[in-house]
Amino acid sequence: MTVENCPARCHPSHEDNNRPHRPRLTSSRKTHQVSGGHHKSRRRSLQQDYTLVPDSCDDPTILNNPDPFYNHGDNNNQSHILDLNQLKNCDIKSALIPLSAYPKSLIQWPVDGSTKTKRISEVKKQVKLLGNFIKMTVGGGHHAEAVSDDKTPTNPPPFSPHVDMSRIPVHTLAHAAHEDSIAKWNDIESSVKAGKMKEAKQMVRESDWSLGSPTRENLWKEMCRYHSREKDFGEMYYWDTVKQIYGTTDLSECSSQMPTFIDANHKISHALSPRGVSVCERIISIIAFNYPAITYAPALYALTALLLHYMDEVDVYYSMAALVDGAQNKFLTQTKIANEAKWRAAMILGRKHIRPAFSTLSKFGVPQEQIEETYQNWMWWIMASLPLTHMVRVIDCFLFEGSKVLLRVALAIFNLFVKALTHDSSMVASLPSKGLLETLTQFCQNIQVPPQKLLKTAFGIRGFSKNEISKVELQTEMFLKSQRMVGGGGGGGPGNPPEMHRSVSLEGLPTSESQLDVQMMSHTLAIKELLILWSWLPMRMTMYQPTLVYTTEEHGCSLTTFFQRVEKFEPTLLCIRTVDDYVFGAYCSAAWKQRHHKDEFGNWQTYFGTGETFLFSLRPKVAKYQWVGITRQQDNAELSSVEHSAELFMHADNNMITIGGGNGQGIMLDHELRYGKTENCLTFDNPPLVPSGDFEVKVIEVYNLVTIE
């Protein structure tokens, strides 16, 4: 609709109708006395009396019916500002934005009594802030125009083209004028490299980056890169995988079917455009393809969608891969049992650290079943119900510190909610009809606490350590597993977890539970390395599952303890991590107690084991060194034997253990299990597994392979 086509009553009441339709200043005062001694009072009166309002020819109902997106209670006589993007199409009603929707800093002016320099500085800040705000508003108009033309829109920084700017509240877009002084990623990275992790954490926690802060353009990408082993987020591998799966990279032809590990009831896309949602689902399908061990990761969809607000598709994939592949499941639960252990641990920790909140709910008559139901959905308090302004600040800390941040924030939300409940009788009255979960969800959606105060509350919970979280989660998971293994019952009441079905090993892979065990307890193996190692095992051994039976982290550095805990098991996996972060080890085909056995001639065995024994290296180089007898037979089937010096598989006495011999020792560990040596040996024809040959042990782990019914 053009201006020429507007009804006559919509034209300004001027003689010349060609003059532009512009809002005018109206004043309740007819005159102002201006004198040298009263300039301050004149400025105050101007601020109080003048507001920007529509012309008198506009429909008067518009004043009392603003855009519902910006409805803030009483709409009567509410001041408005015209949005020129809407005005150019003569959409007057949509163009009106309530003044209350704008940040307070936009209508703040230099305070009385300030110096001229301070006043000028403050005005400059306000002008800069207003300029940033206008860019954001114009960006939203460009997005709508691009979507209508079926093109990828160009959004203002820091937002990616996948965001629908019209879905982001306008008053959250502008960033504070003082934000140039807030820490950047380079500052945080410098502290990390200097070994000042505590200082780096404080920077992330205290840097109040706004939703539209320019810092966000690279912040999350760099945080994820910090955790990733792949420091170069190259595009070639990702697009090759997309072509392999879909046959094309054209998004319109890539119909993504969501993997079963996604919770269909919580596909949270936040402010993504329809095209952005398609990109999000394509990324998730590639993750499912490359990480088949994931069986249940409900938060993965919402987190992928959030990252897409500030990154392109390839960077989001590599960032999510870094989080999925993180050591000891630091970021995302990937099995149903781990997910249940997490929410039960959150409730257990809540009862300890915010005990009064639970006591208050009991006084209000909230049943235990409702509390459990609410905690089952604890992740969605943050990922689905919090405003985007709060959510991104929580994710800032989460991407740097891990999932413990989410637990802290969840307890802070629960505690703040119960405190609000005690001061609001209407909320208490609605509990019986709405239930605890719905009431808490509404509290999160309308939270009155600013993001920084929420984080301060979360990190202010005392005695809530990372070690305590890990311990409670591990104990809870072990309890759930024990319940399942004994057929552990239905019900699902307090202290009685519902029955869960065992997952089985498919195609010779460790079960998801076994992978989780390794991920939670191992200081040497990541899931990817476990799967590589599994592919090297003798076929019959892949039907069994790994169980950690010895680790120097828990059982101490002693060869005597090593034998006590390990010698009865056959076979075992010996994994070594050095202080220089080399990871290597051996598959030991015989039990270590065979060091006490005698051979057919009655002599004590110096070496024992079979040709299935092999050495391996996992970090930085991935390699398997099998017995030379197998290698030679593969090269020449007529060779059926090797010299005795190439059959020295395993050796142990009270002073050391050795795997591999003959002109050198493949792996040798001393009696304290603190130092060792690795050399080329005839049995495995391996190079030294660390360049220098000698190494200092950081941790040793031994896994038994067992049958789990």
Side-chain angles (χ1 to χ4, degrees), residues 532-680:
I532 291 171
L533 192 53
W534 219 251
S535 68
W536 293 337
L537 295 181
M539 183 61 68
R540 71 182 189 281
M541 300 311 303
T542 60
M543 296 185 295
Y544 301 94
Q545 300 304 312
T547 302
L548 184 64
V549 294
Y550 173 81
T551 170
T552 52
E553 290 281 315
E554 181 178 350
H555 304 118
C557 299
S558 166
L559 195 56
T560 302
T561 307
F562 174 92
F563 288 137
Q564 288 174 349
R565 299 193 62 86
V566 171
E567 65 178 8
K568 62 182 179 180
F569 296 114
E570 175 181 350
T572 54
L573 282 168
L574 173 69
C575 300
I576 302 167
R577 182 177 179 182
T578 72
V579 293
D580 296 320
D581 210 35
Y582 287 88
V583 177
F584 54 92
Y587 172 79
C588 305
S589 59
W592 287 99
K593 67 181 179 181
Q594 288 193 22
R595 71 188 188 281
H596 298 310
H597 293 185
K598 296 181 179 180
D599 60 20
E600 61 269 30
F601 304 106
N603 299 319
W604 295 107
Q605 291 190 129
T606 305
Y607 282 89
F608 49 93
T610 70
E612 287 185 331
T613 304
F614 62 84
L615 303 181
F616 60 85
S617 172
L618 292 173
R619 204 182 305 165
K621 181 181 179 181
V622 177
K624 174 188 178 183
Y625 304 100
Q626 62 186 1
W627 178 43
V628 294
I630 298 175
T631 306
R632 291 178 186 177
Q633 286 183 334
Q634 290 173 345
D635 295 339
N636 187 345
E638 295 181 358
L639 294 175
S640 58
S641 64
V642 295
E643 58 274 25
H644 175 68
S645 59
E647 293 181 327
L648 308 178
F649 301 109
M650 299 166 63
H651 166 78
D653 56 33
N654 294 331
N655 298 313
M656 66 177 182
I657 59 173
T658 301
I659 302 104
N663 290 349
Q665 299 165 316
I667 296 175
M668 187 278 291
L669 293 166
D670 69 1
H671 68 286
E672 292 183 338
L673 301 182
R674 292 185 59 192
Y675 298 94
K677 178 184 293 187
T678 172
E679 304 171 315
N680 170 260

Side-chain angles (χ1 to χ4, degrees), residues 21 23-24 52-58 62-63 80 82 92 96:
H21 181 180
R24 67 173 182 269
L52 196 59
V53 299
D55 209 321
S56 58
C57 70
D58 290 325
I62 294 176
L63 287 174
H80 291 71
L82 287 174
I92 304 297
L96 290 170

Side-chain angles (χ1 to χ4, degrees), residues 417-418 420-422 424-432 439-440 443:
F417 162 71
V418 175
L421 204 62
T422 58
D424 191 337
S425 58
S426 62
M427 286 177 66
V428 177
S430 68
L431 274 176
T439 308
L440 177 58
F443 169 80

Side-chain angles (χ1 to χ4, degrees), residues 1-3 6 83-95 141 144-145:
M1 185 175 183
T2 62
V3 173
C6 288
D83 183 346
L84 298 182
N85 285 322
Q86 300 291 342
L87 188 61
K88 68 182 180 182
N89 295 321
C90 203
D91 187 357
I92 304 297
K93 186 172 180 178
S94 299
E145 194 173 301

Side-chain angles (χ1 to χ4, degrees), residues 240-257:
D240 284 348
T241 309
V242 171
K243 272 192 173 182
Q244 181 182 349
I245 296 175
Y246 297 106
T248 179
T249 58
D250 188 345
L251 185 62
S252 62
E253 297 181 19
C254 296
S255 179
S256 302
Q257 183 176 359

Side-chain angles (χ1 to χ4, degrees), residues 228 230 232-235 237-238 314-322:
S228 176
E230 300 290 338
D232 180 20
F233 287 6
E235 295 189 5
Y237 173 77
Y238 178 77
V314 175
D315 288 339
V316 171
Y317 166 75
Y318 280 107
S319 297
M320 289 304 302

